[in-house]
Amino acid sequence: MSVSFTPSGAWTALVTPFDAQGRFHADAFRKLVEFQIAQGIDGIVPVGTTGESPTLSWDEHILVLEAAVKAAGDRIGVLAGTGSNATEEAVAGTRHAREAGASAALLVDCYYNGPSSLELRTEYYERVLAEVPEIPLVPYIIPGRTGCALSAEDLAMLHRAQPERVPAVKEATGDLERMRRDREMCGPGLAILSGDDDLTLKMMQDVRIGASGAISVMSNLAPAAVSRMVARQRSGEGAQADELCALLAPLFRLVGCKVRGERQLPGGGRVSVEDRFRNPLPVKTMMAGLGMPVGGCRRPLGKMTRAGIDQCRAALREVHKAAPEILAPIGETFGVDIERRIEDAAAWAPLTRD
């Protein structure tokens, strides 16, 4: 029995765990979902960017989504990642999500081929809406990944035409003015969900945006704390929400990680470069370093440099020192000593690029 979609609260963009051979690890996935539920998360989002959907085969995509729905049962919602840069594939993915029992489908704007907003609305979102009835769709706007963006005006046309079918948007533009335009065009009925951990509270506190929650990356590590932060803000306890946000800030800053590195050029000479490690590599590295059963990332994502690992450990150290209760559930659930894992160089060596 699927749970009706309620676009508010804290939802976790779940990582996909892999075993030592790089295959989907179903037992580990079930444990991760149980951890999320036990810690009070409102919903899970499998097979999205954080779940490494671009590197999953179609069969794996189906397997992971069905495992998520089965594990969640009637306890929490499942917002299935079904977006694609091909409309027919998005139709097929959304149809499967509906048949599997997902609460709703998350469709990212078409990446790489760069359609206009007009084309996104008419040749993508409206096509999926028409061909796959009876499941809510959530547009996901993240131009930094896709190179295109559904406009606030076209979003409003979708939402106003079918408010029950397009009840929400995941906003990861990083542009607060754009989000205010979403609210202005769509009216009060549209739920705006934050796709950027570090902007969640700003989006909720801004009366011209009025976000109702978040699809969080770092709730993979700290579901209880992220859930409390969002719940405090929703209940009018802004000061308490701010305090939690400040404690979580070191993690929120590491959804993506930038560090300086060096290259040895063939024939001699060294150059300094900036290495940018993007989601889900930092969060999955921290989860693995703390003893959670996630495995590595699939190529082309690899391992972080020592400088990147040092940033991850420093962030975890800062959070644990200031508020040990934030990471304590990991230790209790997975049987590890958090402080010891953070400080144990041997635990991080396999995660570090040579």
Side-chain angles (χ1 to χ4, degrees), residues 57-294:
S57 70
W58 182 244
D59 288 343
E60 288 175 320
H61 188 108
I62 290 173
L63 193 63
V64 175
L65 175 54
E66 291 180 350
V69 173
K70 182 178 180 181
D74 60 359
R75 296 178 291 175
I76 57 172
V78 177
L79 175 59
T82 65
S84 173
N85 63 345
T87 298
E88 290 309 310
E89 188 171 83
V91 167
T94 305
R95 183 176 291 121
H96 171 257
R98 183 191 64 188
E99 293 169 354
S103 306
L106 179 72
L107 275 76
V108 68
D109 286 345
C110 299
Y111 42 87
Y112 188 74
N113 43 20
S116 66
S117 179
L118 172 64
E119 291 164 315
L120 280 169
R121 175 172 60 81
T122 61
E123 306 302 328
Y124 182 59
Y125 289 110
E126 287 181 353
R127 297 276 180 168
V128 179
L129 284 164
E131 295 193 39
V132 193
E134 300 175 356
I135 185 171
L137 305 185
V138 179
Y140 175 17
I141 306 171
I142 181 167
R145 289 272 191 177
T146 63
C148 62
L150 182 71
S151 70
E153 292 78 10
D154 282 311
L155 172 63
M157 292 183 70
L158 293 171
H159 170 68
R160 288 176 179 266
Q162 300 187 69
E164 293 184 357
R165 293 293 315 281
V166 187
V169 64
K170 179 182 178 183
E171 253 286 2
T173 62
D175 183 348
L176 297 178
E177 281 300 325
R178 155 63 205 248
M179 300 174 206
R180 292 168 187 140
R181 182 66 174 167
D182 288 346
R183 177 62 68 212
E184 178 186 358
M185 293 301 303
C186 296
L190 180 77
I192 298 176
L193 296 170
S194 168
D196 292 307
D197 278 329
D198 61 342
L199 289 180
T200 295
L201 272 196
K202 287 183 180 179
M203 292 170 62
M204 295 183 74
Q205 293 171 349
D206 189 322
V207 296
R208 293 174 58 196
I209 299 173
S212 58
I215 297 174
S216 171
V217 171
M218 285 303 164
S219 57
N220 278 283
L221 278 165
V226 174
S227 295
R228 286 197 303 271
M229 182 190 78
V230 172
R232 293 287 186 272
Q233 183 58 46
R234 283 177 56 80
S235 64
E237 301 172 88
Q240 293 89 332
D242 286 334
E243 290 175 5
L244 280 165
C245 187
L247 292 171
L248 288 163
L251 298 180
F252 289 168
R253 289 194 292 265
L254 275 182
V255 172
C257 175
K258 296 179 182 179
V259 294
R260 299 304 302 179
E262 286 192 339
R263 305 285 192 274
Q264 177 71 52
L265 298 176
R270 300 183 71 85
V271 292
S272 176
V273 298
E274 181 180 80
D275 292 316
R276 183 182 182 188
F277 300 111
R278 302 185 71 177
N279 178 48
L281 184 55
V283 69
K284 212 171 186 185
T285 298
M286 287 188 281
M287 293 172 78
L290 291 180
M292 300 176 75
V294 295

Side-chain angles (χ1 to χ4, degrees), residues 254 257-260 277 282 285-286 304-314 348 352:
L254 275 182
C257 175
K258 296 179 182 179
V259 294
R260 299 304 302 179
F277 300 111
T285 298
M286 287 188 281
M304 301 179 76
T305 60
R306 186 169 301 280
I309 293 288
D310 288 345
Q311 272 201 20
C312 289
R313 293 174 70 186
W348 299 89
T352 309

